Amino acid sequence: MNVRNVGENIMNKKITIIEIAEMAEVSTATVSRVINNTGKVETGKKEKILELIEKYDYRPNQIAKALQARKSNTIGFVVPHINSPYYAGIFYETEIAAKKRGYTLLLCNSEADKRLESNILDTFVSANVRAIVFMGGRLDDMSIDKKYINEIEKINKKIPIISCVDIPELNCAQVYQEQKISADELLKHLSKEGYKDIALLGGYANIRTTAKRRKEIIENADRYGISIRKDIIESDYSVEGGNVAMQELLKSPQLPEAIICINDLVAIGALSETYKSNVKVPDDIAISGYDNLDISSFIFPGITTIACDYKAYAEAIVDMIQNIDNIAKNTRRTVQANLIVRGSTKRNA
Amino acid sequence: MNVRNVGENIMNKKITIIEIAEMAEVSTATVSRVINNTGKVETGKKEKILELIEKYDYRPNQIAKALQARKSNTIGFVVPHINSPYYAGIFYETEIAAKKRGYTLLLCNSEADKRLESNILDTFVSANVRAIVFMGGRLDDMSIDKKYINEIEKINKKIPIISCVDIPELNCAQVYQEQKISADELLKHLSKEGYKDIALLGGYANIRTTAKRRKEIIENADRYGISIRKDIIESDYSVEGGNVAMQELLKSPQLPEAIICINDLVAIGALSETYKSNVKVPDDIAISGYDNLDISSFIFPGITTIACDYKAYAEAIVDMIQNIDNIAKNTRRTVQANLIVRGSTKRNA
DNA sequence: TTGAAAGCGCTACCAT
DNA sequence: ATGGTAGCGCTTTCAA
């Protein structure tokens, strides 16, 4: 039994501009003019139209509008997993910033799956989105080949793509975080606190973002009298990854004085292991992360982290979309990251 | 300088069904038939059309399709904050389940703001979404009035709304978690472990979901010889909320034997405070939460929790949308929650 | 200041 | 099996 279709009257049906026009005894053109504030309309008619719109709760059909305008106000957003707090943080701020400028966001999880990712891009092309924002996934993999680059660039010819990974060989708009200055800040801080023997923990070398973070740390450690251990215990980017990697590290004959984890989740996972093993943070070992998740400041001890400026990141993305038609195709924009020191690396906290 | 528009050729332009038809020397109707597999088409023509589609990377314009079909494959999803892991978890699974059935999801953060929330609903109505899934926000507030109910029900006449909060007086489809059985499980477990003096921590009484959780605990405690403290220290639903509430609780002349936190984030916040104060979990005090966030099983000790079955929840939502035209308007569906015991409440862990 | 009508890309109906 | 065409709801000329 179709309950929904029983007893519908005009109030329940979606009303169109035609009906408003008929009731106001004007043309649809006139109604369109008052809706969009384009062109003059006699006050009396205008009022009547506005009244009708109010009375019947009329909303212009954005689909029809998008069809005729040949462009929509929808932005496609791809992340591997929205339940990963870093991506959720970026998306959250982006949605808020975009909403202010009249955009609505489609969100898809690529699940780091190649085929899925392609399907999503197809979907976004079909949906005629205004732009596609692309985080993680294949993009973040060092091993992407010319074929993949071509696939992306081909789409980019039809629909602007914003990559949130720094890929020099990819010709599309890119927004990503600066790593050099913040790495310096972290090294300087750790050095000042007396941590000189440091290990890196978590992440995979073939992930661009990871490689970049590691590179900046390794290349600049010398200047602060810090030595970075050659062996990096790798792991995925989750708390569990941090657990596993830290269990491994704790087997070392000689613990490092500090560990720089690839992100806050891994840092939290590592921290948890120290509790199990009765290792004291930061006295026995200091721990730092990246991203500055909410939780990082509220657990004990707080996690020192290279913070992502989520708001600035989101603004940069939306701004780029806003101006996409007036900028060079390969425009790059970086967002500043900055160090936040907390108990996990402060001996006299 | 508009770089994007320089040197475009036919490969870069979005191609339409008309062009495919012309090149294949058939009518658009025929092309449409092969695209949608509706009606017979001569094999030769079919192949030629398919070739052309491949060659020019043609994708049907979903906007035009949606306009003519008078319905889209888009679902609107409203949450207060997608960077809250519980909502992110539900959304994540819903997007995956929905994608399998050809839906794409629009996601908006209501930021628990009344005006914003209304705007979002307007946006979704304008966007002609197939259904609107609604979590938290005003919906979850006890104090919603008849006016609000009317607003929602009015929209529900045009577009199916799925409420993820149990609201008896609201006439729309609803999907929410069962609380009774899982409360029983938790009480039974705590009782068996010897925790009889228990306090509730976090949340606000005027939030429906919170009130329901508390009610099921309070009403069933007796049966397990458990006494629930009358005073509930309230807080928001974050780790920080857990910090603040726990600091307050730790001032009590006599600590309870266990605390049931309103969610895992609050539980984690509470746990962190115990580290600061050198209170042992679970020996001095046991801690449990709700939701079963990923992190809850990987910190130390693991957090005992009443787990949300995210996948089942998502399936229920998408299933409801799929069948929305064939079910009664006020259809309710519940998702089973179940207890997961971890170190935070297990004395001999 | 206003309206008639073309057209956005697609599907579905009606002919053939 | 195939094509012509109306029409989805809207905006935007072009005339008046």
Side-chain angles (χ1 to χ4, degrees):
Chain A
M1 163 207 52
N2 188 331
V3 176
R4 185 161 303 278
N5 289 331
V6 172
E8 286 189 351
N9 58 36
I10 187 166
M11 294 301 289
N12 302 354
K13 232 196 65 187
K14 270 173 219 150
I15 253 193
T16 74
I17 198 172
I18 299 179
E19 280 131 354
I20 297 289
E22 279 169 358
M23 291 188 289
E25 294 172 297
V26 296
S27 73
T28 59
T30 301
V31 177
S32 177
R33 283 183 194 108
V34 345
I35 291 171
N36 301 294
N37 241 310
T38 159
K40 319 241 154 284
V41 174
E42 187 189 298
T43 317
K45 294 187 178 176
K46 188 168 181 175
E47 275 170 7
K48 185 159 185 188
I49 290 168
L50 257 11
E51 241 168 57
L52 258 1
I53 288 178
E54 172 73 19
K55 176 171 175 192
Y56 289 100
D57 200 29
Y58 165 72
R59 317 253 165 233
N61 181 329
Q62 294 300 328
I63 296 199
K65 188 166 179 168
L67 177 60
Q68 105 83 31
R70 268 162 305 257
K71 69 182 174 186
S72 73
N73 286 318
T74 304
I75 294 169
F77 207 104
V78 197
V79 297
H81 312 272
I82 191 62
N83 53 356
S84 165
Y86 174 71
Y87 297 122
I90 302 285
F91 178 87
Y92 175 68
E93 295 294 346
T94 304
E95 195 274 332
I96 288 176
K99 186 160 50 191
K100 285 185 193 143
R101 314 204 202 179
Y103 296 111
T104 312
L105 271 66
L106 286 171
L107 178 55
C108 284
N109 299 289
S110 69
E111 301 169 58
D113 179 282
K114 212 166 152 171
R115 223 173 46 77
L116 248 182
E117 196 187 290
S118 292
N119 290 346
I120 291 169
L121 294 178
D122 281 356
T123 303
F124 284 166
V125 172
S126 290
N128 252 290
V129 297
R130 193 65 147 281
I132 297 173
V133 180
F134 212 148
M135 303 197 77
R138 259 194 298 174
L139 219 54
D140 209 349
D141 196 315
M142 290 285 206
S143 67
I144 55 173
D145 52 13
K146 193 59 197 158
K147 195 173 148 228
Y148 179 69
I149 296 278
N150 284 341
E151 185 185 335
I152 298 291
E153 290 184 349
K154 189 168 168 187
I155 295 171
N156 192 41
K157 280 176 184 153
K158 302 186 187 175
I159 294 181
I161 292 184
I162 321 278
S163 162
C164 293
V165 182
D166 175 10
I167 308 180
E169 67 268 35
L170 180 62
N171 182 27
C172 77
Q174 302 187 11
V175 180
Y176 45 83
Q177 286 188 73
E178 165 283 323
Q179 297 295 346
K180 166 93 176 63
I181 299 171
S182 52
D184 262 9
E185 286 180 357
L186 176 61
L187 289 165
K188 189 197 293 180
H189 161 72
L190 292 175
S191 174
K192 200 186 301 174
E193 293 285 328
Y195 304 105
K196 307 286 188 177
D197 170 18
I198 296 181
L200 304 183
L201 199 80
Y204 298 111
N206 69 321
I207 301 298
R208 276 168 199 273
T209 316
T210 297
K212 206 169 144 194
R213 287 181 178 180
R214 288 184 184 172
K215 174 170 167 288
E216 295 300 347
I217 296 290
I218 292 169
E219 287 186 353
N220 293 290
D222 271 1
R223 296 196 283 119
Y224 298 96
I226 286 175
S227 82
I228 302 292
R229 294 196 174 185
K230 289 275 173 283
D231 286 343
I232 299 177
I233 301 175
E234 302 210 313
S235 79
D236 66 28
Y237 298 81
S238 68
V239 178
E240 187 180 14
N243 289 157
V244 176
M246 191 63 177
Q247 283 162 19
E248 182 69 23
L249 183 71
L250 288 171
K251 293 179 194 154
S252 306
Q254 169 99 36
L255 276 191
E257 294 166 354
I259 51 175
I260 297 176
C261 300
I262 196 59
N263 68 16
D264 284 2
L265 292 180
V266 168
I268 290 168
L271 176 63
S272 297
E273 293 300 323
T274 66
Y275 279 119
K276 278 191 209 161
S277 313
N278 235 341
V279 172
K280 296 296 170 214
V281 174
D283 295 321
D284 298 336
I285 192 168
I287 298 179
S288 79
Y290 280 83
D291 295 348
N292 191 28
L293 305 181
D294 280 347
I295 194 172
S296 301
S297 62
F298 298 117
I299 57 173
F300 183 79
I303 307 282
T304 291
T305 192
I306 292 182
C308 172
D309 186 338
Y310 294 91
K311 273 213 171 67
Y313 205 137
E315 287 293 343
I317 290 172
V318 177
D319 211 72
M320 209 142 194
I321 292 173
Q322 192 94 324
N323 298 305
I324 201 71
D325 290 330
N326 310 310
I327 59 178
K329 240 183 182 165
N330 65 344
T331 302
R332 262 74 170 157
R333 192 149 155 199
T334 62
V335 181
Q336 189 59 43
N338 67 294
L339 180 70
I340 296 181
V341 175
R342 300 205 181 95
S344 69
T345 61
K346 229 166 28 183
R347 283 207 154 110
N348 41 4
Chain B
M1 167 205 50
N2 190 331
V3 176
R4 186 160 301 277
N5 289 331
V6 171
E8 286 190 352
N9 59 34
I10 187 166
M11 294 302 289
N12 303 353
K13 233 198 65 189
K14 269 172 222 152
I15 253 193
T16 73
I17 198 173
I18 299 180
E19 280 130 353
I20 297 289
E22 279 170 357
M23 291 187 290
E25 294 172 296
V26 297
S27 73
T28 59
T30 302
V31 178
S32 178
R33 282 183 194 107
V34 345
I35 293 171
N36 301 295
N37 241 311
T38 157
K40 318 244 152 281
V41 175
E42 187 189 297
T43 317
K45 294 188 179 177
K46 189 167 178 174
E47 275 169 8
K48 184 159 187 189
I49 290 169
L50 255 11
E51 243 168 55
L52 259 359
I53 288 178
E54 174 73 19
K55 176 172 175 193
Y56 290 99
D57 199 30
Y58 165 73
R59 318 251 165 233
N61 181 329
Q62 293 300 327
I63 295 200
K65 188 166 178 167
L67 177 61
Q68 107 82 30
R70 266 160 306 254
K71 68 183 174 187
S72 73
N73 286 318
T74 304
I75 294 170
F77 206 104
V78 197
V79 298
H81 313 272
I82 192 61
N83 52 357
S84 166
Y86 174 70
Y87 296 123
I90 301 285
F91 179 88
Y92 175 69
E93 296 293 347
T94 303
E95 196 273 333
I96 289 175
K99 185 160 50 190
K100 283 185 194 143
R101 314 203 202 181
Y103 296 112
T104 312
L105 271 66
L106 286 171
L107 178 55
C108 284
N109 299 289
S110 68
E111 300 168 57
D113 178 284
K114 211 167 155 170
R115 223 172 45 79
L116 249 183
E117 196 185 291
S118 292
N119 291 345
I120 292 169
L121 294 178
D122 280 357
T123 302
F124 285 166
V125 172
S126 290
N128 252 291
V129 296
R130 194 64 149 281
I132 296 173
V133 180
F134 212 149
M135 304 197 76
R138 257 194 299 174
L139 219 56
D140 209 348
D141 195 315
M142 291 285 208
S143 67
I144 55 173
D145 52 13
K146 193 61 196 156
K147 195 171 148 227
Y148 179 68
I149 296 278
N150 283 342
E151 185 186 335
I152 298 292
E153 291 185 348
K154 189 168 169 188
I155 294 170
N156 192 41
K157 279 176 184 154
K158 303 186 185 174
I159 294 181
I161 291 183
I162 320 279
S163 163
C164 293
V165 181
D166 173 11
I167 309 180
E169 67 267 36
L170 180 63
N171 182 29
C172 77
Q174 302 187 10
V175 180
Y176 46 83
Q177 287 189 73
E178 165 282 325
Q179 297 295 344
K180 167 94 175 62
I181 298 170
S182 52
D184 262 10
E185 285 179 357
L186 176 61
L187 289 166
K188 191 197 290 179
H189 161 71
L190 291 174
S191 173
K192 201 186 299 172
E193 293 286 328
Y195 304 106
K196 306 288 188 177
D197 169 19
I198 296 180
L200 303 183
L201 198 79
Y204 298 111
N206 69 321
I207 302 299
R208 277 169 199 271
T209 317
T210 296
K212 207 169 143 196
R213 286 180 178 180
R214 288 183 184 173
K215 174 171 167 290
E216 294 301 346
I217 296 290
I218 292 169
E219 286 185 353
N220 292 291
D222 270 2
R223 295 197 284 120
Y224 298 95
I226 284 175
S227 84
I228 302 292
R229 293 196 176 186
K230 290 277 172 282
D231 286 342
I232 300 178
I233 300 176
E234 302 210 313
S235 79
D236 66 30
Y237 298 82
S238 68
V239 178
E240 186 180 14
N243 289 156
V244 176
M246 190 64 176
Q247 283 163 17
E248 181 70 24
L249 183 71
L250 288 171
K251 293 180 194 154
S252 306
Q254 168 99 36
L255 277 190
E257 294 166 354
I259 52 176
I260 298 175
C261 300
I262 196 60
N263 68 16
D264 284 1
L265 291 181
V266 168
I268 290 167
L271 175 63
S272 297
E273 292 300 323
T274 66
Y275 279 119
K276 277 191 211 164
S277 313
N278 237 341
V279 171
K280 298 294 169 216
V281 175
D283 294 320
D284 297 336
I285 193 168
I287 297 181
S288 79
Y290 279 83
D291 296 347
N292 190 30
L293 305 181
D294 279 347
I295 194 172
S296 302
S297 61
F298 298 117
I299 57 171
F300 182 80
I303 307 282
T304 291
T305 192
I306 292 182
C308 173
D309 186 338
Y310 294 91
K311 271 214 173 66
Y313 205 137
E315 286 294 343
I317 289 172
V318 176
D319 210 74
M320 208 144 196
I321 292 173
Q322 192 94 322
N323 298 305
I324 200 72
D325 290 329
N326 310 309
I327 59 179
K329 241 185 181 162
N330 65 345
T331 303
R332 262 74 170 157
R333 193 148 155 199
T334 63
V335 181
Q336 190 58 44
N338 67 295
L339 182 69
I340 296 181
V341 176
R342 301 206 181 94
S344 70
T345 61
K346 227 166 31 183
R347 284 207 155 113
N348 39 6

